[in-house]
Amino acid sequence: MSDFLAKAAPSDSRHWQAVACLSLMTFVLIASEFMPVSLLTPIATDLGITEGQAGQAIAVSGFFAVITSLFGNRLLGRLDRRIAVLLDTLVMIGSGLVVTFAPNGPVFMLGRALIGVTIGGFWSLTAAILVRIVGPAETPKAMAMLQAGTALATVIAAPLGSFLGAFIGWRGAFFIVVPVGLAALVWQWLVLPSLPASTSVSPRRMLGLLGHRVFAIGMAATTLAFMGQFALSTYLRPVLETITRLGIGPLSLVLFGIGIAGLVGTALAGWLLRRHLSTALIGLPLVLATIALLLVPLAGAALPATLLLLLWGLCATPIPVAWGTWMTRAVPNELEAAGGLQVALIQFAITAGASAGGLLFDHVGWWSAFLLGALLLVASGLFAIAASQPTKGSLA
């Protein structure tokens, strides 16, 4: 494998164009995955389903992302990874069309399943693809560019979806994925180099990493952190509308503010994690749990709720970066297998958190989803205490 990587193409302008087009792909994917969060109410009204059921759109995409991240590489076999990325993009475009023209809930969920296939397939290949495009020495810079697409989508997906939904409807908001996806497809076709398959990571190899006790604890903490976040954040719009009683303008501003705070958190993550990785792994989920508990009595007051949610955005975005950094130190020789497993567990966590939160939201009350999120985040912090000990060493 080291010989293969040593022969990776040098970093010229064409290769950085390839990285940039993959960053655009991550932007569209993340925006598509989480846009339902800001459009639950109109989706539910139009399709004749409850807001909790509409929130299952996140769960459905997450479920299919888990399946694809675990088995996708094996199914691709020897297929050129350039062709795999192009196929992922075509599936994403198809998802946008199905969701846009969905006549009912089941067809809408079919479209969400397709975006899940794209998420799992694309993200499970990104690290290996970037190394091969720019070479090992430039991989950190390439990863930063890729995360820029994620960060930008995190900032604007929710407020943009809310804003567009008010003017062109939720279907129009989702349809925007189609022309942007087509542009990404053409760009990929022009700049992505041929990437013949080199290795195949099996689910058995991924799951075998869980035999390392500390690694397993870290993955459990990661899973609980994402479950806790999405048990709460998936249902922010209906709470802000019905409990905080914000109109569409203030609602869009609050969602945009949460995104901007998240972008600031991402920018600060590098400095924080270089110096205080263990503190971040333990402290960030505990801060989020505190915010979730405070929102239960304060959600009806616009100013306190807004300030708490801005703090939520600031503290939530460094968590995936923190656990990614932890993984590179814990299993530096098994990053491809560990990365695929982490993608699967994160998507499972999104699915489980959104699903459990939706059931509680519908059958118990909005506050119960927030309490569930707090409980899961506290559990993540406790698991992180054990997992953070070996970050200066190596398990594999």
Side-chain angles (χ1 to χ4, degrees):
M1 183 66 177
S2 59
D3 292 339
F4 175 81
L5 293 178
K7 297 177 182 178
S11 299
D12 59 21
S13 60
R14 183 179 178 86
H15 299 135
W16 289 111
Q17 289 180 43
V19 176
C21 83
L22 294 178
S23 183
L24 174 62
M25 179 71 168
T26 65
F27 168 77
V28 180
L29 270 180
I30 297 300
S32 299
E33 184 176 12
F34 298 122
M35 194 176 289
V37 172
S38 63
L39 295 168
L40 286 186
T41 304
I43 290 172
T45 301
D46 191 27
L47 296 179
I49 57 180
T50 69
E51 290 171 335
Q53 289 171 334
Q56 302 305 316
I58 303 293
V60 168
S61 61
F63 173 78
F64 281 90
V66 170
I67 300 301
T68 310
S69 62
L70 287 175
F71 299 100
N73 284 349
R74 176 59 62 88
L75 293 175
L76 289 174
R78 309 304 296 177
L79 181 68
D80 190 299
R81 284 355 187 193
R82 174 178 181 268
I83 302 301
V85 172
L86 294 172
L87 290 175
D88 284 333
T89 308
L90 283 172
V91 174
M92 179 183 70
I93 294 168
S95 167
L97 290 171
V98 172
V99 168
T100 298
F101 297 104
N104 51 45
V107 176
F108 175 77
M109 294 303 176
L110 172 62
R112 297 300 300 172
L114 292 176
I115 200 67
V117 169
T118 304
I119 292 164
F122 178 77
W123 277 110
S124 64
L125 294 175
T126 51
I129 287 176
L130 289 178
V131 172
R132 295 176 64 181
I133 289 176
V134 303
E138 296 286 357
T139 297
K141 179 180 177 181
M143 288 294 295
M145 289 181 62
L146 203 69
Q147 290 301 320
T150 300
L152 182 61
T154 302
V155 169
I156 73 170
L160 182 63
S162 179
F163 179 79
L164 292 175
F167 289 94
I168 60 176
W170 69 268
R171 296 179 187 274
F174 276 102
F175 183 76
I176 290 177
V177 170
V178 176
V180 177
L182 287 170
L185 181 68
V186 172
W187 195 4
Q188 292 163 9
W189 182 266
L190 293 174
V191 303
L192 280 181
S194 177
L195 298 164
S198 57
T199 60
S200 180
V201 177
S202 68
R204 176 178 293 182
R205 183 175 174 185
M206 293 182 189
L207 295 175
L209 291 174
L210 296 177
H212 298 288
R213 177 179 173 275
V214 174
F215 181 79
I217 293 172
M219 290 298 99
T222 305
T223 302
L224 289 166
F226 277 86
M227 285 180 66
Q229 287 185 61
F230 283 90
L232 185 154
S233 61
T234 306
Y235 304 98
L236 278 180
R237 172 167 177 157
V239 170
L240 290 172
E241 284 183 325
T242 60
I243 305 302
T244 316
R245 299 188 182 279
L246 296 181
I248 188 63
L251 173 63
S252 297
L253 286 175
V254 169
L255 294 175
F256 182 73
I258 296 170
I260 291 295
L263 192 60
V264 173
T266 302
L268 295 175
W271 173 86
L272 174 67
L273 300 179
R274 280 194 300 270
R275 294 164 174 80
H276 308 291
L277 177 58
S278 295
T279 301
L281 292 172
I282 299 165
L284 288 173
L286 296 180
V287 172
L288 293 184
T290 303
I291 294 171
L293 292 174
L294 289 173
L295 282 170
V296 173
L298 295 176
L303 181 59
T306 299
L307 293 176
L308 287 170
L309 289 174
L310 292 178
L311 183 59
W312 174 281
L314 180 71
C315 295
T317 53
I319 289 179
V321 183
W323 282 111
T325 302
W326 175 88
M327 184 178 69
T328 64
R329 300 183 187 184
V331 286
N333 300 320
E334 289 285 356
L335 290 180
E336 187 172 344
L341 180 61
Q342 188 180 57
V343 170
L345 289 174
I346 287 173
Q347 292 301 323
F348 165 78
I350 292 171
T351 301
S355 179
L359 290 172
L360 290 173
F361 188 97
D362 279 345
H363 298 290
V364 180
W366 67 270
W367 54 269
S368 60
F370 282 46
L371 290 181
L372 173 64
L375 178 63
L376 293 168
L377 288 162
V378 168
S380 174
L382 295 177
F383 273 86
I385 294 173
S388 64
Q389 300 306 312
T391 52
K392 294 182 180 179
S394 171
L395 301 177

